[in-house]
């Protein structure tokens, strides 16, 4: 092996192994010459060194080969008839072929070499050539080809990576931005158009403050000028940015604020040296959280407002009332709390339905708000109850003015869907500090005062006094004792006989309830029944009386005392129960008393409350064999046009008519009329109040 071979170990190794260097295994080589013997000689040399080569005899064949395939290396003769090597060089330059061309020619003149190199030839080898020199030149050219291929591949990958990065950034749901060291935008992604309505050109070069809502500028100074990096950088801070998105409904561009969640971190020219001098700017993202903020606002609104009227609810009223008390205590001022309950609302709700009732409540709320001052708070307490907070009042007269204004406005009719509706209000008023020094105490005492208005006939107002508190406490105590009495079985059933005027015999009895209190003794019904109706306990009392009466009368019949008929009272609450008929039948079966021995007494007012619900139930009971009586006839609606629709057997004349009979004054004519009507309708007649 010669010294020249040692200086070229790769080439020597290729010679020995009859293979090219590994990086050139796939090299495509084109050999071009116009003399066949020279072309064949060159082919043998190249293949001897392990390269694959394609032969082109003359310029025209070379042109065809270059047009039809791609080559890494071309060994080209210059002097050829027809299409010369210079023409091929011009073609390669014109078509921007990437192959390397080594000129192998006997024309070694300076002008020929210069022209060849000028036209893009990689190198020049003079004929006759040395094999080692030619192979070395080929490997240098192929090495350059390999480097250029690698460079092209890296550039292609880099371009794809940049395009992917650009796609990801511009397709991001977040606004991605960069600021220079002065706080001006140097980059924004495409999201800015959809999110804020600005084009990139609108903001590039502009200071960030031009996009920040005025109310958030102070907070933005610390966010957009962020210099920290890593975990200490700004994350998930809420900020409002200006938007000028077009409103499609009106075709206008309106500036508004968009809630965003901002992240930001500093950028440095040398990340290892984070100094003021190296600070290059800020990078960050902004995410549109408007929907989330809107959802939070809805949740917060629902937590502190009534969903029907959109008025503050109890929780918000409590907060404002406690704050107003604190301020009043500090400033030594008064405040008023009103508790308002609508009169006749239940009648509207039951007659026209809950939908109409809801609309009426909205109308009432709007009308009440028109009566208040700017600092007052109107709250829906529940159902048809409202509370009013009146801070900063000087005297009771200030509250009286508002109360009278409310009553005057509510007494005016409400017209909804052609219905003219009338509601009044009962208003209780509690003043701070006279009626209490806490919000809970003021509301409770205003509620007590409101019940006193209800007891006086409704549609008015009343200030709370300590005397009312005592009465209210007594009422609470009575209610508690009433509930305990039901549990402990303190109620008893008394029976009032019903006597026939014709025969003088007892034809039936009416079951009446009495309360034998453990301490107070026997309590008359008029003392506890109104409270029982108000609290809903009347249903339990009625069912107790009915079960007791059915059992006792059934035992009388089994003892041979005759077919005694028992009358029991029914209230509207009991009749409105969905399973009233089933419960009634169950009580009869449990006692063994036949239905024909039972007479159910119901007042006119109860019948008229909800005829569509009550009448079918009464008909079902009548079908079982029970009798139906109208109690206290003549004191209620006295709607004679409806009388024939009711499945009744008996009329009971109220004791007020019987007790006032004065034949010499002609008042007995009322009784005569009722008697005649009962006979005409084939109804039995019972008169109350004849005990004396």
């Amino acid at each position: 092996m010669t010294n020249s071979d040692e200086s070229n170990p790769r080439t020597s190794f290729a010679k020995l192994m009859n293979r090219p260097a590994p990086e050139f295994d796939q090299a495509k080589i084109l050999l071009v010459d116009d003399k066949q013997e020279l072309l064949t000689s060159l082919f043998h040399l190249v293949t001897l060194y392990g390269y694959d080569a394609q032969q082109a005899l003359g310029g025209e064949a070379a042109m065809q080969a270059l047009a039809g395939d791609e080559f890494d290396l071309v060994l080209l003769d210059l002097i050829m008839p027809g299409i010369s090597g210079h023409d091929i060089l011009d073609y390669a330059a014109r078509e921007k072929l990437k192959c390397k061309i080594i000129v192998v020619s006997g024309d070694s003149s300076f002008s020929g070499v210069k022209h060849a190199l000028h036209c893009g030839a990689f190198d020049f080898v003079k004929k006759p050539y040395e094999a080692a020199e030619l192979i070395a030149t080929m490997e240098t050219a192929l090495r350059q080809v390999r480097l250029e291929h690698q460079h092209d591949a890296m550039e292609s990958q880099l371009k794809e990576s940049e395009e992917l990065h650009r796609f990801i950034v511009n397709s991001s749901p977040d606004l991605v931005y960069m600021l220079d060291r002065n706080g001006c935008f140097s980059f924004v992604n495409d999201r800015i158009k959809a999110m804020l309505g600005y084009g990139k050109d609108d903001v590039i070069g502009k200071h960030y403050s031009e996009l920040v809502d005025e109310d958030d500028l102070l907070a933005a100074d610390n966010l957009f000028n962020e210099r920290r990096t890593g975990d200490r950088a700004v994350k998930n801070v809420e900020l409002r940015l200006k938007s000028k998105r077009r409103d499609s409904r009106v075709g206008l561009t309106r500036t508004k604020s968009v809630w965003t969640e901002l992240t930001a971190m500093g950028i440095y020219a040398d990340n290892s040296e984070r100094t003021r001098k190296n600070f290059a700017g800020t990078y960050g993202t902004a995410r549109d959280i408007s929907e989330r903020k809107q959802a939070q606002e809805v949740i917060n609104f629902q937590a502190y407002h009534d969903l029907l009227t959109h008025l503050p609810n109890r929780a918000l009223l409590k907060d404002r009332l406690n704050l107003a008390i604190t301020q009043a205590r500090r400033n030594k001022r008064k405040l008023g709390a009103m508790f308002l309950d609508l009169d006749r609302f239940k009648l509207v709700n039951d007659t026209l339905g809950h939908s109409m009732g809801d609309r009426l409540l909205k109308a009432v709320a709007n009308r009440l708000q028109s009566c208040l001052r700017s600092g007052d708070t109107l709250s829906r307490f529940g159902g048809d109850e409202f509370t009013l907070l009146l801070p900063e009042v000087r005297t009771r007269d200030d509250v009286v003015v508002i109360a009278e204004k409310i009553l005057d406005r509510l007494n005016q009719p409400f017209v909804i869907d052609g219905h003219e509706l009338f509601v009044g209000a009962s208003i209780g008023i509690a003043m701070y500090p006279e009626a209490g020094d806490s919000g809970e105490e003021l509301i409770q005492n205003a509620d007590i005062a409101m019940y006193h208005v209800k007891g006086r006939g409704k549609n008015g107002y009343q200030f709370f006094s300590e005397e009312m508190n005592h009465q209210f406490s007594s009422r609470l105590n009575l209610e508690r004792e009433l509930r305990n009495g039901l549990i402990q079985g303190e109620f008893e059933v008394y029976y009032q006989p019903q006597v026939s005027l014709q025969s003088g015999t007892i034809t039936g009895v009416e079951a009446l309830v009495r309360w034998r209190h453990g301490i107070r003794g026997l309590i008359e019904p008029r003392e506890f029944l109104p409270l029982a109706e108000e609290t809903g306990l009347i249903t339990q009392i009625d069912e107790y009386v009915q079960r007791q009466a059915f059992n006792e009368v059934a035992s009388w019949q089994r003892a041979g005392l005759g077919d005694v008929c028992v009358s029991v009272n029914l209230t509207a609450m009991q009749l409105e129960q969905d399973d009233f008929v089933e419960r009634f039948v169950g009580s009869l079966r449990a006692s063994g008393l036949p239905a024909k021995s039972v007479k159910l007494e119901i007042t006119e007012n109860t019948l008229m409350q909800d005829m569509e619900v009550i009448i079918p139930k009464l008909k079902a009971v009548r079908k079982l064999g029970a009798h139906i009586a109208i109690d206290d006839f003549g004191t209620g609606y006295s709607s004679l046009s409806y009388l024939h629709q009711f499945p009744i057997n008996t009329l009971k004349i109220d004791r007020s008519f019987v007790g006032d009979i004065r034949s010499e004054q002609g008042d007995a004519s009322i009784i005569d009329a009722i008697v005649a009507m009962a006979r005409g309708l084939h109804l039995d007649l019972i008169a109350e109040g004849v005990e004396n």
Side-chain angles (χ1 to χ4, degrees):
M1 187 177 290
T2 64
N3 291 335
S4 61
D5 291 335
E6 291 176 359
S7 64
N8 246 316
R10 293 170 57 84
T11 305
S12 300
F13 180 78
K15 285 181 180 180
L16 293 173
M17 299 298 295
N18 200 29
R19 292 292 296 163
E23 63 266 32
F24 307 140
D25 281 353
Q26 305 300 321
K28 297 184 67 174
I29 301 173
L30 178 65
L31 308 179
V32 183
D33 204 310
D34 63 326
K35 294 182 174 57
Q36 184 63 58
E37 63 274 13
L38 294 178
L39 183 61
T40 302
S41 175
L42 182 59
F43 177 76
H44 287 316
L45 174 64
V46 171
T47 55
L48 179 65
Y49 276 83
Y51 292 101
D52 293 329
Q54 180 178 335
Q55 301 179 57
L57 183 62
E60 185 175 351
M63 281 287 200
Q64 292 176 356
L66 290 172
D69 202 352
E70 293 184 358
F71 295 91
D72 298 310
L73 180 64
V74 178
L75 299 182
L76 177 66
D77 186 21
L78 281 182
I79 307 302
M80 294 183 295
I83 299 176
S84 68
H86 293 289
D87 295 331
I88 293 175
L89 285 170
D90 292 339
Y91 172 78
R94 185 170 61 252
E95 297 296 326
K96 298 180 180 180
L97 301 181
K98 293 184 177 182
C99 61
K100 299 300 178 185
I101 300 177
I102 298 176
V103 174
V104 182
S105 177
D107 182 8
S108 60
S109 64
F110 176 77
S111 60
V113 174
K114 179 182 178 182
H115 183 266
L117 295 176
H118 179 73
C119 290
F122 177 77
D123 207 343
F124 186 93
V125 177
K126 182 179 178 301
K127 292 180 181 179
Y129 48 79
E130 291 185 4
E133 178 187 3
L134 179 61
I135 296 302
T137 303
M138 286 174 53
E139 290 187 351
T140 301
L142 289 172
R143 190 173 293 109
Q144 183 67 26
V145 169
R146 181 177 62 83
L147 291 174
E148 289 180 358
H149 284 174
Q150 291 177 346
H151 179 266
D152 291 344
M154 291 177 63
E155 279 195 340
S156 177
Q157 291 177 0
L158 181 60
K159 183 178 180 182
E160 291 178 0
S161 177
E162 289 178 347
E163 290 177 351
L164 179 61
H165 178 72
R166 188 177 297 108
F167 173 78
I168 292 174
V169 170
N170 285 326
S171 301
S172 171
D174 300 338
L175 170 63
V176 182
Y177 68 89
M178 291 181 66
L179 304 177
D180 60 23
R181 61 183 299 128
N182 298 318
C184 297
F185 287 99
S186 59
F187 170 82
V188 290
N189 66 342
D190 294 343
R191 176 62 175 161
I192 194 168
K193 184 67 177 178
M195 182 172 170
L196 301 178
Y198 297 98
K200 292 183 178 181
D201 296 338
D202 296 333
V203 297
I204 296 296
K206 300 291 181 63
H207 195 264
Y208 69 81
S209 59
E210 297 188 29
L211 260 65
V212 179
D213 187 276
E214 286 79 1
D215 294 336
D216 291 342
L217 277 175
L218 184 60
D221 288 341
N222 296 324
L223 300 175
F224 281 100
N225 288 324
E226 179 60 85
R227 293 171 180 264
R228 295 170 297 183
T229 61
D231 294 338
R232 298 179 63 244
V234 169
K235 294 180 181 178
N236 304 330
V237 178
E238 295 180 358
L239 188 76
R240 284 169 292 182
L241 300 179
K242 295 178 181 176
S243 169
K244 64 170 188 176
R245 287 184 293 188
R246 181 175 295 276
D247 191 336
S248 59
R249 294 171 298 179
V250 295
L252 298 176
T253 300
R254 298 179 175 179
T255 301
K256 63 177 183 178
S257 294
V258 173
W259 276 103
T260 62
E261 190 174 71
L262 196 77
T263 62
M265 64 185 299
I267 304 174
Y268 293 87
D270 184 357
N271 202 41
S272 63
E273 188 176 350
R274 299 174 186 174
T275 62
R276 183 184 298 271
K277 183 178 180 181
N278 275 327
F279 178 67
T282 304
Y283 163 83
T285 61
R287 173 168 296 182
D288 187 348
I289 58 171
S290 300
E291 291 186 1
R292 189 178 78 192
K293 293 293 288 187
Q294 185 177 5
Q296 289 175 349
E297 290 175 359
V298 170
I299 293 172
N300 290 336
F301 183 87
Q302 291 177 346
Y304 291 100
H305 291 80
D306 172 59
L307 298 184
L308 176 64
T309 62
H310 294 173
L311 294 176
N313 61 10
R314 295 189 187 187
L316 184 54
L317 174 72
K318 180 180 179 181
D319 290 343
R320 292 184 180 179
L321 183 55
N322 290 336
L323 178 61
I325 290 175
T326 301
Q327 293 175 341
R329 184 181 297 117
R330 182 185 301 118
N331 300 328
K332 294 181 170 36
R333 302 294 296 270
K334 295 178 179 292
L335 66 83
M338 287 187 181
F339 198 97
L340 184 150
D341 185 87
L342 298 182
D343 301 329
R344 296 186 298 276
F345 173 77
K346 187 176 186 301
L347 178 62
V348 174
N349 205 41
D350 293 344
T351 304
L352 300 179
H354 294 290
S355 176
M356 182 64 72
D358 289 345
R359 296 175 66 182
L360 177 59
L361 286 175
K362 290 181 181 180
V364 168
N366 292 333
R367 195 171 288 186
L368 287 175
Q369 284 181 308
S370 67
C371 301
L372 304 182
R373 305 168 301 174
S374 58
D376 299 338
T377 296
L378 171 66
S379 165
R380 186 184 178 199
F381 202 74
D384 60 345
E385 297 174 334
F386 296 85
T387 51
L388 287 80
L389 167 61
L390 307 172
E392 298 293 330
V393 293
R394 293 169 297 178
T395 65
R396 287 191 173 193
D397 293 339
D398 296 338
V399 182
V400 169
V401 170
I402 297 175
E404 291 180 345
K405 185 177 181 180
I406 289 174
L407 292 174
D408 180 65
R409 293 296 307 276
L410 292 184
N411 284 331
Q412 299 175 21
F414 293 85
V415 180
I416 302 177
D417 282 350
H419 296 279
E420 191 174 43
L421 309 176
F422 292 89
V423 293
S426 299
I427 303 175
I429 306 171
M431 299 292 295
Y432 171 86
E434 299 93 326
D437 57 1
S438 70
E440 183 177 355
E441 191 175 3
L442 286 175
I443 294 298
Q444 178 180 326
N445 291 338
D447 189 15
I448 293 173
M450 182 273 295
Y451 273 104
H452 278 264
V453 178
K454 290 280 189 185
R456 285 204 320 263
K458 306 179 180 180
N459 198 36
Y461 64 88
Q462 176 69 54
F463 284 88
F464 172 80
S465 65
E466 282 300 328
E467 181 183 354
M468 295 178 187
N469 199 17
H470 174 71
Q471 296 174 3
F472 183 74
S473 298
S474 300
R475 178 179 173 275
L476 289 178
N477 290 334
L478 183 62
E479 180 182 347
R480 183 177 63 254
E481 293 173 353
L482 190 61
R483 294 181 184 276
N484 292 334
L486 279 169
I487 296 173
Q488 297 172 7
E490 295 179 350
F491 291 90
E492 300 176 352
V493 179
Y494 281 61
Y495 298 93
Q496 184 180 43
Q498 297 173 347
V499 181
S500 170
L501 290 180
Q502 294 177 347
S503 64
T505 60
I506 296 177
T507 60
V509 293
E510 180 179 359
L512 303 174
V513 66
R514 298 293 184 267
W515 181 12
R516 191 169 297 280
H517 193 276
I519 298 176
R520 298 167 56 185
L522 195 64
I523 300 178
E524 292 294 321
R526 63 174 177 271
E527 295 185 40
F528 65 86
L529 285 184
L531 180 61
E533 291 181 358
E534 183 180 330
T535 57
L537 296 174
I538 190 66
T539 300
Q540 298 180 44
I541 294 175
D542 282 347
E543 291 183 348
Y544 170 80
V545 171
Q546 291 161 16
R547 287 195 304 270
Q548 189 74 11
F550 294 168
N551 289 331
E552 290 186 347
V553 173
S555 67
W556 297 347
Q557 291 184 0
R558 286 193 295 269
L561 298 181
D563 295 333
V564 180
C565 182
V566 61
S567 298
V568 293
N569 291 289
L570 285 181
T571 57
M573 288 185 182
Q574 189 178 7
L575 271 171
E576 288 172 354
Q577 292 176 330
D578 294 336
D579 59 347
F580 162 73
V581 177
E582 291 78 4
R583 295 168 75 95
F584 173 74
V585 172
S587 297
L588 285 178
R589 288 177 178 174
S591 65
L593 185 69
K596 66 179 182 178
S597 299
V598 176
K599 183 179 293 182
L600 301 179
E601 297 188 1
I602 183 171
T603 64
E604 285 180 279
N605 292 348
T606 300
L607 276 173
M608 297 297 294
Q609 280 188 14
D610 195 347
M611 291 190 296
E612 293 182 358
V613 173
I614 291 176
I615 291 179
K617 294 179 180 179
L618 293 181
K619 286 183 177 179
V621 172
R622 173 76 180 273
K623 190 174 182 181
L624 294 173
H627 302 272
I628 309 295
I630 295 183
D631 198 7
D632 301 333
F633 183 76
T635 62
Y637 288 95
S638 297
S639 301
L640 303 182
S641 60
Y642 290 111
L643 199 57
H644 69 281
Q645 299 182 23
F646 300 145
I648 59 176
N649 308 89
T650 305
L651 294 181
K652 290 186 67 176
I653 304 175
D654 187 70
R655 65 176 59 247
S656 61
F657 296 107
V658 177
D660 290 338
I661 289 178
R662 297 291 185 270
S663 58
E664 65 276 15
Q665 298 177 7
D667 291 342
S669 59
I670 297 177
I671 302 297
D672 293 338
I674 296 176
V675 171
M677 180 179 63
R679 289 176 176 171
L681 294 174
H682 305 289
L683 299 176
D684 295 333
L685 195 65
I686 296 178
E688 294 182 323
V690 298
E691 293 87 348
N692 298 325

